[in-house]
Amino acid sequence: MTPTLRTGRLVLEPYTPEDEEDFVALFQDPRVSRWMGDGPACEAADRALFGRIFTNVYARDLFDVWAVRRDGLLVGHAEIKPTEAVGGHEIIYALAPSAWGSGLGTEVAEAVVTHGFDALGLSEVHATVAAPNQASLVLLGRIGFEHVRDVEEDDGSTTRVLVRRRPATTGGASSAR
């Protein structure tokens, strides 16, 4: 079951059915969707995707997917899931343009990465970013992600594959939780 995560300004929590309109509005914004998956989709496809979060992802506990809220309003989307393309777990996040440029992307990415290391016990977390998406590449680099390879997509575009490894523990004995 997807847990609720909190940062200084955000709450990442499971979606509720009432979030559908805000989810669709986020994914229908071309400034957001141009960087997501295969790019912009039709409204019906985004509504179907929202439905699958409940009928497939949450119902089968496949991976963690969050509504990102600030002051109770949906301002973004985040997830961490196993992905064959990277051979491990990948973080995915998107924020509404109204939330850009204020450090919220860093808060979301850090929260999801920390969840991957601490709650899921991962030794590394991946991200895939379209090469032209400089804002995400800079953000992820700033929080410790390193470029490992490029993937040439069928349409000729390039996707950067990044990884952040769990910091090595220092000192002697480790404590069990």
Side-chain angles (χ1 to χ4, degrees):
M1 189 164 132
T2 297
T4 296
L5 308 178
R6 297 181 191 285
T7 73
R9 298 176 288 171
L10 301 171
V11 175
L12 285 69
E13 62 188 2
Y15 281 101
T16 66
E18 293 75 29
D19 291 322
E20 183 173 357
E21 295 308 316
D22 291 334
F23 175 93
V24 170
L26 176 70
F27 278 76
Q28 283 292 296
D29 187 320
R31 295 168 294 176
V32 175
S33 61
R34 70 183 288 211
W35 305 120
M36 301 297 292
D38 294 326
C42 68
E43 182 178 333
D46 286 337
R47 289 190 186 282
L49 175 62
F50 184 78
R52 284 193 306 276
I53 290 171
F54 295 93
T55 62
N56 196 19
V57 177
Y58 290 162
R60 297 173 52 205
D61 199 21
L62 294 179
F63 52 89
D64 294 323
V65 177
W66 295 276
V68 178
R69 300 186 200 284
R70 182 175 189 191
D71 300 326
L73 300 175
L74 188 128
V75 297
H77 170 88
E79 55 190 82
I80 185 168
K81 65 181 183 180
T83 306
E84 286 182 27
V86 298
H89 281 70
E90 175 182 14
I91 66 166
I92 297 168
Y93 60 92
L95 289 174
S98 62
W100 292 357
S102 59
L104 296 178
T106 300
E107 283 187 40
V108 169
E110 283 284 17
V112 176
V113 168
T114 298
H115 173 73
F117 290 152
D118 294 350
L120 302 180
L122 302 175
S123 60
E124 58 186 28
V125 174
H126 295 83
T128 57
V129 181
N133 188 349
Q134 285 300 305
S136 279
L137 291 169
V138 168
L139 182 158
L140 292 167
R142 203 171 43 239
I143 66 169
F145 277 81
E146 299 172 10
H147 175 254
V148 287
R149 72 180 185 277
D150 288 342
V151 176
E152 284 295 320
E153 302 294 349
D154 292 340
D155 65 2
S157 65
T158 301
T159 298
R160 304 241 186 267
V161 179
L162 311 171
V163 67
R164 179 168 160 188
R165 292 177 178 84
R166 175 195 287 272
T169 55
T170 57
S174 62
S175 60
R177 291 187 206 201

